[in-house]
Each structure stands twice: as structure tokens, then as C-alpha cells.
Amino acid sequence: MNLLKIVFVLLSVTVQAAAQVVYLPSDSLVFEKCMQAMDINKDLPLQDLVVQTALYFEGTPYVASTLEQTPEQLVVNLREFDCTTFVESVLALSYTRKDKNPSFQTYCMNLKRIRYREEIKDYSSRLHYTTDWIQTNEKRGFVKDISQQLGGAILPVNLYFMSTNADKYKQLLNNPQLTDKIRQQEQAVNALPHYYVPVSDIDKRSEMVKSGDMVCFVTTIKGLDVSHVGFALHKDGILTFIHASLTAKKVIVNPISIQAYVEGIKHNNGVLFVRPLEQSLK
């Protein structure tokens, strides 16, 4: 075992015991470099800071399933992202850069607050569904769903994919009690009102969308709500987005508009727009 691996193992054991956090030394180095690079932008409006932070990670590799630790723990990984961990990490970094104490510990606290519904108890503590994530973080003052404000249509949400496909999740496999927790969470989200901007209306609403708004792509796959997320960006006269792209295998600025992107995805029929809030920092 080389020195880096020894350091990681010792660090992980110590940090896990203290705060349920897992990371590599290189993640804290990326954090420090990002905070230094964003120092010039720290007084920008939050959404502008979000954009600059997202662009800072352009080219970072796309890697899926980086959070699947057993038992459930806060995973900090700034070296690689999927679409969700990219959005969560950028938001947490932006909130941290605005903080009077932009420390790695503060970043971990912000990331935990964004990613989990409560203290990390088990797999069900994580906010797995995007509509659940939005509503939980809206209550905390981190974000506001502006889809209805943009003239959005009612979105029927019927979540059940995870609870009816427990065999696809190692944490739920042969664990009916945990699966039932997930089912109860799904039903709670289903009971709440939801809105979205249909694909045909995205360009019509583009002037009301700000760069730095979260864009969440609504899927027609049964039992799910959202299949992809990123950050809206006005560029070269179109409304596009920054995201960790599975196709490109890295963080990119999408070359086409959000509407054109949705029109090209078989199982997408619109988007949710969610605005990061300054007051979450109070």
C-alpha cells in the first residue's frame, strides 16, 4: 500500500468516526484552490458566483455512483462528478465562498445540509429524488422552485421507482424496512403540488430564467421525476446550461439550447427551474 493510500485510510477512519465524512487529501486541495480562484468573485450576487464556480470545474471527469458508501456517509469528491453531485458541490462551494469562514469544514456542513434531509442515519436520509431535494432545500431557504412563477403547468409526480426496484440498489436489497422508509418518502412527495415548464414553452420563458438557476429535466420514465440536472446559462443569445455530461464524460457548457436538448431526449418533456437564494446564507 503506497503512502497516499495509507494517508487516505487513516484519514477516512478518523473523519468517519468523528463526522461521517469520506474524502481524499486531494479533495481538500481542490477545495482550497477553488476558494482561492473564487475569491475575486465572492462579492458577486450568489447566482453569478454559482456560474463562475460551475465554469471553474469545466472539463472535470464524469463518474457515476461515487456516493455509494456502506454505511451511508457524506462523500466529498471534487475530482469527479455525476450531474447531481456536480450541482450539489457547486452550490455548497458557492455558499461556502460567501461565508465569513470559508473552511473545508464549512463546505462539508453545507454539502451535508443540501444532500440530506436530516442527520445521516441510513440510505433513506439522502435526498434521492430531485422533487424531494427541491422541496426540502426550499424549506431550508437554500433555493426556490420558480417553475410555477414562470407560468409552468401542473406536473403529476408519481414516485415509486426505488421502492419497487429494491433489487437494483445494494442498500435496499433484502432490507424491507429501509425500502418501506423510501416508499413513505415517495408517497409524501407525491402528495405535494408540482409544476414544470413544458418543452414547447422553454424558449418562451428564457428571458425570465437567470444564469445560475438550476435546470432539472423532467422524465417520462414511470416512477421517476427528473433524469438530469445542471445550471442555466445565457450564452451567445441562447439559454443553454452547464452540466456534468454522461455523453461527453466531463463537465461542459452544452453546445445547444435547453429546449433543443430536451427535444432531442426521448424521455424528457420539460424542465423545472430552481433559483439559489441569497438569504440561505443568513
Side-chain angles (χ1 to χ4, degrees):
M1 183 179 290
N2 63 36
L3 180 59
L4 180 59
K5 289 183 177 179
I6 292 172
V7 170
F8 171 58
V9 169
L10 293 174
L11 182 60
S12 293
V13 170
T14 301
V15 175
Q16 287 171 25
Q20 295 179 300
V21 181
V22 176
Y23 64 96
L24 286 173
S26 52
D27 292 307
S28 61
L29 293 177
V30 174
F31 168 80
E32 292 297 339
K33 289 179 180 179
C34 179
M35 289 296 101
Q36 292 171 13
M38 291 301 108
D39 184 65
I40 194 173
N41 298 314
K42 65 183 179 183
D43 295 325
L44 292 175
L46 178 65
Q47 284 184 259
D48 294 338
L49 178 58
V50 166
V51 170
Q52 294 305 314
T53 305
L55 291 173
Y56 177 82
F57 287 97
E58 192 170 1
T60 301
Y62 179 101
V63 177
S65 303
T66 59
L67 304 186
E68 306 314 314
Q69 298 283 328
T70 304
E72 185 76 14
Q73 296 163 97
L74 178 67
V75 175
V76 175
N77 186 341
L78 293 171
R79 297 160 285 110
E80 52 200 14
F81 302 112
D82 62 22
C83 66
T84 300
T85 59
F86 172 64
V87 165
E88 290 177 336
S89 299
V90 167
L91 286 175
L93 287 165
S94 300
Y95 294 135
T96 303
R97 182 61 274 185
K98 284 282 189 179
D99 198 281
K100 293 180 181 179
N101 177 32
S103 66
F104 188 68
Q105 182 179 3
T106 299
Y107 169 69
C108 292
M109 179 187 69
N110 284 330
L111 184 62
K112 175 176 171 288
R113 288 180 63 203
I114 289 169
R115 183 175 291 164
Y116 289 92
R117 66 179 70 255
E118 54 191 19
E119 292 303 312
I120 302 173
K121 298 177 180 178
D122 55 35
Y123 186 61
S124 69
S125 300
R126 199 193 314 167
L127 295 162
H128 298 285
Y129 290 102
T130 303
T131 47
D132 192 13
W133 186 101
I134 292 168
Q135 290 173 336
T136 300
N137 280 293
E138 192 167 34
K139 290 176 182 177
R140 291 172 177 165
F142 273 115
V143 301
K144 179 172 178 57
D145 187 342
I146 61 170
S147 305
Q148 184 180 15
Q149 178 184 326
L150 296 179
I154 293 174
L155 173 65
V157 170
N158 185 20
L159 302 176
Y160 60 79
F161 189 89
M162 292 180 67
S163 63
T164 57
N165 291 277
D167 59 317
K168 299 182 184 297
Y169 302 88
K170 65 179 182 179
Q171 296 90 337
L172 301 181
L173 185 63
N174 299 320
N175 193 334
Q177 184 176 10
L178 190 55
T179 301
D180 189 58
K181 283 187 180 181
I182 295 291
R183 182 179 295 106
Q184 292 176 32
Q185 292 166 1
E186 291 169 339
Q187 293 171 350
V189 177
N190 293 342
L192 297 172
H194 306 273
Y195 296 86
Y196 79 121
V197 179
V199 59
S200 59
D201 292 340
I202 296 172
D203 281 349
K204 298 174 187 176
R205 305 289 185 264
S206 62
E207 290 186 2
M208 301 170 68
V209 176
K210 296 181 180 179
S211 293
D213 285 341
M214 280 179 58
V215 54
C216 312
F217 296 85
V218 176
T219 183
T220 58
I221 297 173
K222 301 298 183 183
L224 294 175
D225 52 358
V226 167
S227 60
H228 192 51
V229 292
F231 291 107
L233 178 69
H234 287 277
K235 182 180 180 182
D236 300 329
I238 66 169
L239 179 64
T240 185
F241 65 111
I242 313 163
H243 62 130
S245 168
L246 173 60
T247 303
K249 300 296 183 186
K250 60 184 178 180
V251 174
I252 63 169
V253 174
N254 210 67
I256 60 175
S257 71
I258 292 174
Q259 178 156 329
Y261 179 87
V262 174
E263 290 172 342
I265 304 296
K266 180 180 178 181
H267 294 293
N268 284 166
N269 63 356
V271 295
L272 304 167
F273 286 108
V274 179
R275 183 156 293 166
L277 296 178
E278 293 277 359
Q279 54 260 43
S280 65
L281 303 169
K282 294 180 180 179

